[in-house]
Amino acid sequence: MKFLHRAGLATGLAMTFGSAWATPCDSALSSYAFYVSSSMPSNAAAIVSNHPECFGGSPGSSVMNINATSFLMAFAIGNALALRQSVAGPIVTGSADIKGMAAGGANGKWNVWGNLNNNDTRQSYTAANGFKSKNNADIMTTIIGVDYGLSPTMALGVSAAFDDGDGSGRNYGPGGTRNTTDSSGYVIAPYIGMQLSKTLSIDASAGVGRGKIDTSTNTDSRADRWFAAANLNYNRWFDNIQLTGRASFLHGVEDYGDIKNSATGVKFAGTDAKNTIDQIRLGVQAGYWMNGVMPFASLGYTNDVRRKTTQFGSPNNPVGRDAWVWGLGMNFYSVKDGVTGGVVYNEETGRSHQTNRSLMANINIRF
């Protein structure tokens, strides 16, 4: 029995080092499945640390995906409601007969909007095998939405988001080469916005969808997605200066099934994972109105107050839990046509071993 135990351990160790330096994801996944069946969580965690790009459900990859899809959608919804409210600028919103930005003023009850965002995330850290590991993702997300003013202080809407991304990962140990990934998915989310006073409003959204990740080594994984988010918004004008603030709570989940070999359809047992993130965001923004054009700057703080995974071994996430986010942008307003739009660049700094940059464009049409 001792001989068999040692033989099995030796085989496992060989698979550990072999998969840590192997190119194909199926080799890493086979090793991971072996450790799951052998109840060796630390070894399984090492495989995920060395090759996160092979695991759609890995905590590091999931942080990137949830932030660039579900959480981005929640941000876009809040932004669309804010632009819906801002179509007439400071003159109308300062009128005594208008209850505030969310009331919508004298404009039409319908609002159609679109949002296009390119999100670029880079991770780099020392993996379990002692070598540098890099995991990157570029995700383009297109969001469309429509909402209706139920009353002067309330709007109800629905939106749909579609994402398409390219990624790569590499462990720089001996024999390690670059593996590439393709991702795609969608989320459908209803939402509601309500004005509480001339300066305060709230909005909430919840969505469900699906996503998938394919690797260059013929493996793929599919996930159910869902999220819920709530925002408390502050808005006030001081002559031509607009000051806004937002406090947000976001809950996001990606629930992956077992990864499978795309060519054979064979699944790697035990590679399923459900990842959950609870995040808070606090932000302020200042803009200057210039007759229909408003440049602005923003500063925010984000913290992943809770991250949870069912992945076997629960490998440590080297990304870091909090960060600062700064942004620069420009909004455009056409009072006559009821059209608003804008573009903004945001950059996240302060997380351990991760950087994130995004460029977003949006448009609202009120009628």
Side-chain angles (χ1 to χ4, degrees), residues 267-338:
K267 294 183 178 181
F268 297 91
T271 55
D272 60 308
K274 180 180 179 181
N275 294 302
T276 303
I277 300 177
D278 289 332
Q279 187 178 96
I280 58 171
R281 296 184 182 184
L282 303 172
V284 294
Q285 178 178 298
Y288 186 79
W289 176 268
M290 298 187 299
N291 194 27
V293 178
M294 187 169 69
F296 63 86
S298 64
L299 178 65
Y301 172 77
T302 180
N303 189 303
D304 299 340
V305 293
R306 186 176 78 108
R307 286 205 299 258
K308 182 180 178 181
T309 180
T310 62
Q311 190 167 56
F312 184 76
S314 300
N316 291 328
N317 189 338
V319 172
R321 291 190 176 274
D322 62 345
W324 294 95
V325 183
W326 62 268
L328 294 173
M330 183 87 70
N331 285 333
F332 307 90
Y333 304 81
S334 175
V335 176
K336 178 182 178 181
D337 300 320

Side-chain angles (χ1 to χ4, degrees), residues 159-325:
S159 60
F162 307 90
D163 58 272
D164 183 71
D166 297 309
S168 65
R170 178 180 179 181
N171 185 283
Y172 285 80
T177 58
R178 183 173 177 264
N179 297 318
T180 60
T181 61
D182 293 313
S183 65
S184 61
Y186 69 90
V187 180
I188 307 296
Y191 60 90
I192 186 171
M194 181 181 298
Q195 191 75 28
L196 302 178
S197 68
K198 289 184 178 181
T199 58
L200 293 176
S201 65
I202 59 172
D203 63 79
S205 57
V208 296
R210 291 277 291 171
K212 70 173 184 176
I213 297 178
D214 300 312
T215 74
S216 58
T217 52
N218 296 321
T219 63
D220 66 78
S221 54
R222 286 168 169 75
D224 293 317
R225 301 172 173 172
W226 62 90
F227 81 92
N231 300 306
L232 174 64
N233 310 292
Y234 172 83
N235 175 79
R236 187 168 180 179
W237 289 90
F238 299 89
D239 293 328
N240 286 345
I241 298 176
Q242 184 194 43
L243 296 180
T244 63
R246 178 177 293 173
S248 308
F249 177 79
L250 307 101
H251 173 81
V253 178
E254 284 192 337
D255 192 355
Y256 284 86
D258 282 333
I259 303 171
K260 70 176 182 180
N261 185 294
S262 305
T264 64
V266 175
K267 294 183 178 181
F268 297 91
T271 55
D272 60 308
K274 180 180 179 181
N275 294 302
T276 303
I277 300 177
D278 289 332
Q279 187 178 96
I280 58 171
R281 296 184 182 184
L282 303 172
V284 294
Q285 178 178 298
Y288 186 79
W289 176 268
M290 298 187 299
N291 194 27
V293 178
M294 187 169 69
F296 63 86
S298 64
L299 178 65
Y301 172 77
T302 180
N303 189 303
D304 299 340
V305 293
R306 186 176 78 108
R307 286 205 299 258
K308 182 180 178 181
T309 180
T310 62
Q311 190 167 56
F312 184 76
S314 300
N316 291 328
N317 189 338
V319 172
R321 291 190 176 274
D322 62 345
W324 294 95
V325 183

